[in-house]
Amino acid sequence: MPTRSSGHGSPTIGTVAAEAGVSRATVSRAFSQPHRLKPETVERVLEVARRLGYAVNPMAKALSTGRSGNLALIVPDIANPFFPPMIRAVEQRADTAGYAVFLGHTDEDPAREDLLITRFAKQVDGFVIASSRMIETEIRAHAERRPVVLINRDVARIPRVLIDTTSGVTQAVTHLAELGHRQIAYLGGPSRSWSDGQRRRTVKRVGERAGLSVAMLPGRRASYESGREAVPAILATGVTAVIAFDDLLAHGVLTGLAERDIDVPGQFSVIGCDDVLAAQTYPPLTTVSSRAAEAGTAAVEMLASRLGSDVTGADDRLTLDTSLVVRATTTTAPRPTRKTRTTSATPTG
Amino acid sequence: MPTRSSGHGSPTIGTVAAEAGVSRATVSRAFSQPHRLKPETVERVLEVARRLGYAVNPMAKALSTGRSGNLALIVPDIANPFFPPMIRAVEQRADTAGYAVFLGHTDEDPAREDLLITRFAKQVDGFVIASSRMIETEIRAHAERRPVVLINRDVARIPRVLIDTTSGVTQAVTHLAELGHRQIAYLGGPSRSWSDGQRRRTVKRVGERAGLSVAMLPGRRASYESGREAVPAILATGVTAVIAFDDLLAHGVLTGLAERDIDVPGQFSVIGCDDVLAAQTYPPLTTVSSRAAEAGTAAVEMLASRLGSDVTGADDRLTLDTSLVVRATTTTAPRPTRKTRTTSATPTG
DNA sequence: TTGAAAGCGTTACCAG
DNA sequence: CTGGTAACGCTTTCAA
């Protein structure tokens, strides 16, 4: 029995229509295009709707309009303190733009990332993909189906917002050079990370230009433990300072160093990246600022503008500059007392 | 022109049906009830679908079946490190159960929480609400519309998983008593927090039973800064040890104490809660373990079981016990030398 | 085992 | 300014 206005479940547009004595089309308009209706009609419909506790069913609406009003945010690792502020910002900005957001956690796995995006695809109007680990081809493929805005991943012709750590890392290297350090190391992060590539290249380039010998340590998971475990390798290179991919690693290094009774910054200088630990380490960590929240906000704005008007727009690429925040883990290089020896791997320079 | 099998947009069930020479109903069945179809038919349909890149449209499916395959996770504060592991767990468990998850961030605001839930309602099959700040009436109202599982909020007859810190906090108080402390304080967290209430009561009860004098400090936002700022108030009470609502606050207290040259644990003992900072503070924080991830997983499981079968089931209430993790911020009470006095400013060494 | 057709709740085009 | 009526893409009786 196809009764539109039954009284059991949540009220539908039909229920309201019947009760208000108008057509379903009118009820629909009362919500989506009130200006095309006589004010008193709108008022009456809305009143009835309120009384009945009616609310538009987003899925039905989506099916009809082709726009879901949903976005998906994909991140590699929620547990990394770099992301929560970004997630928060995306959520907030999306919310004010009327979007609800799905959260996808890829656990740094490109395959999982690909899968998640595919699963979300039909249910969202667009994606914000942070620190994507997928290969360009895959990213492009997805971007062709749905609007995509990338964060910290530079793929031509795909809207993206990049936290440019070149500036901050350059300052970091220069800072160390000025303090008299002659040998420094870069402790890498996730290998597929665009940010890591950028930082790695910057340290190398700027370091060598400043006449420093710089050791590159292989990338690893960005975590406190990884940093702690990397200390022996770092020391083996004989450097007097290290710049880590991020604060988490740097924090771990601080601990590893402390465990070996190596004084920071007295005997060794450490610099982090992202400034997520603020002054919460001991000693307070010198680091490169980040702008995760801003990036999130900007990404949603880009996405929203794409969704609003079908602008095939220019090649959107927003970069956010960073800078060095000097705290207490860096100081002048120790005089070359004992000669630290490299054992096997990791040549310098 | 109502052509079902046009060749432009993403393929629909009609496209596949036409291409495979079967009815739309058959295609639908090939995906949802393959066993009710001749194996070779299923195979052919699936093959065609794959070739065409067809994927079921979840919204259309949802509209038809009334189940969206989505869940919503509501949290008060993504930035608090207590939540990311939980979010991660929820996401993961939901994923394996075939659900996608919306994330809602309420920023500790009950009104916003209420609003978010309402907005999600029509689009999800159920909610996991963590540390809800809403009043019981509101929670009940929502729970009547959609299945709800609460985390760290104890509302009768609503499925909930509670991280029971009673055990851990009891151990904490006892630990301090055994170390000879006679006066301790509890530094409160968010006022609407169920966990805070539980911890507060436990500290008070167990403390007094052990013959300690216990000072209750008003609740505040669970953050590093709040903890740091609370130090003067703590010192003003003349206690020799403090148990903080969570690790963030405790960490802040550590800093505030250090700024005043008060040695921890030599002159003052500090205990946190949730164990989210692990050994990452200086000194490593004695704290009460937490089980955020487990709670998230359990919550989704409860929800999924409710969704699966319409069990009006018993009064589900799962509690997860905790215990004290002793690290390095607690030790025997200092002898009553100088009478600790609060001045005003922040003298540093 | 398969097909026809009636919904699911909205929107949007076309009349009036 | 408002109503009728096809879609939107899929599921699900009901028949065959």
Side-chain angles (χ1 to χ4, degrees), chain B residues 65-78:
Chain B
T65 62
R67 339 177 87 271
S68 64
N70 296 151
L71 300 183
L73 169 61
I74 310 292
V75 301
D77 183 11
I78 305 178

Side-chain angles (χ1 to χ4, degrees), chain A residues 55 58-59 62-63 70 78 88 91 95 100-105 107 112 119 122-123 224 251 280 282, chain B residues 55 58-59 62-63 70 87-88 91 95 100-105 107 112 119-120 122-123 224 251 280 282:
Chain A
M59 313 213 103
L63 187 56
N70 296 151
I78 306 178
R88 191 174 182 294
E91 244 252 352
D95 188 76
V101 4
F102 278 108
L103 179 66
H105 173 101
D107 220 350
R112 185 164 163 62
R119 300 209 333 178
K122 288 284 209 333
Q123 217 165 169
Y224 177 79
H251 192 184
Q280 300 183 33
Y282 182 82
Chain B
M59 311 213 102
L63 188 55
N70 296 151
I87 296 174
R88 192 175 181 292
E91 244 252 354
D95 188 77
V101 4
F102 278 107
L103 180 65
H105 174 100
D107 220 350
R112 186 166 161 61
R119 300 209 335 176
F120 282 139
K122 288 285 208 334
Q123 216 164 170
Y224 176 79
H251 192 183
Q280 300 183 33
Y282 182 82

Side-chain angles (χ1 to χ4, degrees), chain A residues 106-119:
Chain A
T106 70
D107 220 350
E108 302 274 2
D109 177 3
R112 185 164 163 62
E113 186 175 347
D114 189 68
L115 181 68
L116 266 177
I117 295 179
T118 304
R119 300 209 333 178

Side-chain angles (χ1 to χ4, degrees), chain B residues 23-67:
Chain B
S23 74
R24 311 215 304 283
T26 298
V27 176
S28 174
R29 291 186 184 110
F31 282 93
S32 41
Q33 346 192 9
H35 56 283
R36 301 174 43 67
L37 248 39
K38 200 190 310 177
E40 52 192 60
T41 307
V42 175
E43 200 171 341
R44 180 156 44 93
V45 172
L46 259 33
E47 157 58 20
V48 173
R50 199 184 50 67
R51 180 155 52 78
L52 266 43
Y54 167 80
V56 176
N57 179 324
M59 311 213 102
K61 178 172 188 165
L63 188 55
S64 180
T65 62
R67 339 177 87 271

